[in-house]
Amino acid sequence: MLSLHASHASISAIDSPMLAVFLSASDNGAITLPAALQSLDAALQGSITRTLARRDFRAARDECFVLVGAERGIERVALVGLGKGTASRAVWRRAASVAARSAAKL
């Protein structure tokens, strides 16, 4: 059974089979990792930073890129693109459905 939960918890306190991270695309194509996600990136040994630097994930609308996490805590991280422009409620709902479909596949 799939269940979704939105939270502002510390990365070390999260125990989940999959964590969805939503990122917006920029006009110049470069995506910077928000400061709030630095601890998550550190827990994944910099794999988010490398993925963004290599442009494997560009945060386009409906884009999803799954990274393998640790054995305990966060097992997978799904980077989900919001696209360019302002993130409206419809954009967030669409991105959440992309994350849910990705989780269901796994």
Side-chain angles (χ1 to χ4, degrees), residues 19-83:
L19 175 70
V21 174
F22 303 99
L23 295 170
S24 296
S26 64
D27 291 331
N28 63 2
I31 302 169
T32 56
L33 190 65
L37 296 176
Q38 295 294 333
S39 60
L40 174 62
D41 190 42
L44 296 172
Q45 286 89 33
S47 62
I48 297 175
T49 301
R50 284 191 306 277
T51 299
L52 297 178
R54 293 176 184 158
R55 298 181 57 122
D56 291 335
F57 176 78
R58 297 181 183 194
R61 183 174 142 189
D62 297 343
E63 182 182 7
C64 186
F65 190 89
V66 179
L67 299 167
V68 176
E71 265 186 58
R72 294 190 178 113
I74 301 170
E75 296 174 19
R76 294 175 194 90
V77 176
L79 303 176
V80 181
L82 297 172

Side-chain angles (χ1 to χ4, degrees), residues 2 18 99-106:
L2 177 67
M18 186 171 128
R101 283 194 304 268
S102 177
K105 288 178 189 176
L106 296 174

